[in-house]
Amino acid sequence: MPDTTKPAFTGAANVSQLGCWLGMSRNRVEEFSAALGVLSAGKKFPEYRLITGLLGLEIGSAAVTPMTSRLMTLAEAAAELGCSAQDLKIKIENGQIAAPPMYVFGERSRRFIRHQFLAYSRDPRGRFASYAFLPGFLMSLDDLAREAGLQPDTLKEEFEAGCRMEPVHVIFEGGRKRYFRTHAKSIFKQSNRSEDPAAGDGLPAFSGGVLGQVARAAAGAGQA
């Protein structure tokens, strides 16, 4: 079996390495990263851009190397704890387990920082290293609702019913959700454009599915 704790890249990641790190197809990662505001520098993505832009973390140089190990999938995390992926998902969402932050990049794309989750699963008391997020990188549901011009409960119901695309987010201990500010704002800017009959579409064609929706939202924000 491959050593999943080894760095997926060093210094900077090409498209294949970025796909390996995220656990996504290399054909989708550029679209995904661009939708979250992270662009390559030439043919590679510098490690600090990925860690700050896709994980939202404030880190020192000593913490970079462990961050470049392939992100852990929900299924891998569940296997570490001896439960099913669905059970772990429910427990984290309901705040029934004090696990490390879970990144929700899409409905079928839930990730953990690998060394963080391994520390949690193997420490007798479930301890793990915590990292500070960049100031202003995340926003609460209340903030998100104000951005959308809705009540928080209404917005939550729309997400659950699939009436509105839920932005990329992180779930913390206690089931607290915090949304990627840049992605959330891009989604609602696109929504405002689509509700304006005088505004043309003008968006480039993107692939279908969650990542395509993410990319379309970002493209709409760029034109707003």
Side-chain angles (χ1 to χ4, degrees), residues 10 14-15 21 25 33 41 52 62 82 86 112 117 134 165 185 204:
T10 301
N14 59 31
V15 172
W21 184 63
S25 164
S33 60
T52 58
Q86 182 65 12
F112 300 89
F117 200 91
L134 293 166
M165 179 184 175
K185 285 182 174 292

Side-chain angles (χ1 to χ4, degrees), residues 11-120:
N14 59 31
V15 172
S16 294
Q17 292 167 330
L18 179 57
C20 175
W21 184 63
L22 289 171
M24 297 180 183
S25 164
R26 60 168 292 168
N27 297 324
R28 305 172 73 185
V29 292
E30 283 187 290
E31 183 178 79
F32 174 74
S33 60
L36 298 184
V38 179
L39 304 178
S40 64
K43 295 184 178 181
K44 290 192 173 185
F45 295 81
E47 58 190 11
Y48 276 92
R49 287 192 190 183
L50 297 177
I51 295 168
T52 58
L54 297 187
L55 299 182
L57 301 179
E58 265 190 341
I59 57 167
S61 58
V64 169
T65 299
M67 293 287 183
T68 60
S69 295
R70 186 170 63 82
L71 298 181
M72 181 178 279
T73 66
L74 179 64
E76 290 173 326
E80 279 288 321
L81 301 183
C83 63
S84 72
Q86 182 65 12
D87 283 347
L88 180 57
K89 171 181 172 290
I90 291 172
K91 288 179 179 178
I92 290 175
E93 290 177 343
N94 292 340
Q96 298 171 342
I97 185 172
M102 179 172 74
Y103 288 82
V104 183
F105 291 140
E107 181 56 35
R108 298 183 180 180
S109 186
R110 293 173 172 80
R111 301 289 183 266
F112 300 89
I113 296 173
R114 184 169 294 275
H115 72 276
Q116 216 178 26
F117 200 91
L118 288 176
Y120 163 74

Side-chain angles (χ1 to χ4, degrees), residues 118-207:
L118 288 176
Y120 163 74
S121 67
R122 298 174 184 183
D123 184 89
R125 297 184 179 180
R127 294 169 296 194
F128 57 90
S130 296
Y131 298 99
F133 280 76
L134 293 166
F137 189 85
L138 301 174
M139 61 194 306
S140 68
L141 179 65
D142 287 349
D143 293 335
L144 196 62
R146 280 193 290 271
E147 190 75 25
L150 299 170
Q151 291 297 316
D153 288 345
T154 301
L155 183 59
K156 184 177 180 180
E157 289 171 2
E158 289 191 3
F159 288 154
E160 292 174 348
C163 301
R164 185 184 292 264
M165 179 184 175
E166 188 170 21
V168 169
H169 55 277
V170 186
I171 302 180
F172 294 93
E173 183 177 348
R176 294 180 299 112
K177 283 186 181 181
R178 292 294 182 268
Y179 295 89
F180 279 35
R181 184 179 298 274
T182 299
H183 185 221
K185 285 182 174 292
S186 72
I187 288 176
F188 292 127
K189 283 182 181 178
Q190 186 197 24
S191 178
N192 291 338
R193 282 180 58 87
S194 66
E195 291 170 3
D196 181 359
D201 191 344
L203 299 181
F206 289 101
S207 63

